[in-house]
Structure formats: structure tokens, C-alpha cells
Amino acid sequence: MEKLAKALGKNIRAQRKEKGFSQDALALVCGVDRSYMGRIERGEVNITVEKLYRLASTLACEPASLLPSLSSLD
Amino acid sequence: MEKLAKALGKNIRAQRKEKGFSQDALALVCGVDRSYMGRIERGEVNITVEKLYRLASTLACEPASLLPSLSSLD
């Protein structure tokens, strides 16, 4: 699980930076606690699919685009 | 959330049937309770990304392929 959470967090962080959001701003818009947002990006938590969609719609990208491929986690 | 969970459940069920798994067999291999597996497919629960990956690797497909597009949920 750890590799997945870390890879997903990295993708979310990269997409956030590309869209010019601060971590606090993304947390605010998504209705997520600021410290939890940091834990998501560091890969410390296993988020739900619903939260993945909230993040993706805020970051204006497809949720699928944030997901690491299965083979990348081998 | 409901639309997302229902669409995702439908995709998981379709992929399961395509691969010839019974619901019980998929639940067993994934280490998921049988009744919970039914709730996932009916869109009654909000699964974690980690569970999505477990289901996808068992169904030999990319997790991203099970996700409904954002626009399909509008």
C-alpha cells in the first residue's frame, strides 16, 4: 500500500504545482484539513476514490491521470 | 458521491464478468467480505484507492480503466 500512496501523492503534488495551487488552497477548496492534505501528498494515507475525484475535479484533471500504473508499483 | 460509487461498481462488475469471476471468487481472492463485494458493485460504499488497486490487479486491468470519467458524472 505504501508504494501506491507515495506514488499517488507525488502525482497529486505535481498536478497541484502545475496548476499553481498552494497546498493550503487545494485543501481549502477540497474541504480537506490542511495537515491531512500534506499527509496525502507524502503518501501517508490511503484516500478514498471519492476524495481522489474531489482532488481531480479541483485540479481540473481526470482522476485516472493521477493514478500510477500497476506495473510502476511492481 | 452516489453517482461515482454506482458508476465504479458497474465498471467493476462488467470487468469481473468479462474475466469470468463470480462475485464470491473475486471477494475471496481480494480478501474482501462477500457481502461487502456486493455492496461495492451496487455502488453502496466508497472504496479506498488501495482497494481499487487490489480489485484491478485481481481482474488483470489497470485501476484507471475502472474509473468513470469526470464528465460522465455531471
Side-chain angles (χ1 to χ4, degrees):
Chain A
M1 199 295 283
E2 217 191 292
K3 252 184 161 182
L4 167 57
K6 283 211 180 342
L8 177 57
K10 215 173 118 198
N11 291 348
I12 291 168
R13 174 169 285 172
Q15 185 70 15
R16 172 174 65 75
K17 289 186 172 178
E18 197 185 297
K19 295 286 163 86
F21 272 91
S22 69
Q23 202 175 72
D24 286 0
L26 181 56
L28 191 67
V29 175
C30 279
V32 167
D33 178 77
R34 277 168 48 194
S35 62
Y36 191 70
M37 192 66 228
R39 297 186 64 213
I40 290 173
E41 290 195 2
R42 289 189 302 273
E44 295 168 2
V45 291
N46 175 23
I47 64 172
T48 63
V49 170
E50 192 263 336
K51 194 153 279 157
L52 172 69
Y53 273 65
R54 246 193 290 153
L55 289 163
S57 70
T58 303
L59 293 170
C61 68
E62 278 299 328
S65 71
L66 294 172
L67 294 184
S69 67
L70 273 177
S71 53
S72 71
L73 300 175
D74 286 345
Chain B
M1 202 294 284
E2 219 192 294
K3 251 185 163 181
L4 166 57
K6 284 211 179 341
L8 177 58
K10 214 173 121 202
N11 291 348
I12 290 168
R13 173 168 285 170
Q15 185 70 16
R16 171 174 66 76
K17 288 185 173 180
E18 197 186 296
K19 296 287 164 94
F21 273 91
S22 68
Q23 201 175 73
D24 286 1
L26 180 57
L28 190 67
V29 175
C30 278
V32 168
D33 178 78
R34 276 169 48 193
S35 63
Y36 191 71
M37 191 67 227
R39 296 186 66 213
I40 290 172
E41 290 195 2
R42 289 190 302 274
E44 295 169 3
V45 290
N46 175 23
I47 64 172
T48 64
V49 170
E50 193 263 335
K51 194 152 279 156
L52 172 70
Y53 272 67
R54 248 195 287 155
L55 288 163
S57 69
T58 304
L59 293 170
C61 68
E62 278 299 329
S65 71
L66 296 172
L67 294 184
S69 68
L70 273 178
S71 53
S72 71
L73 300 175
D74 286 345

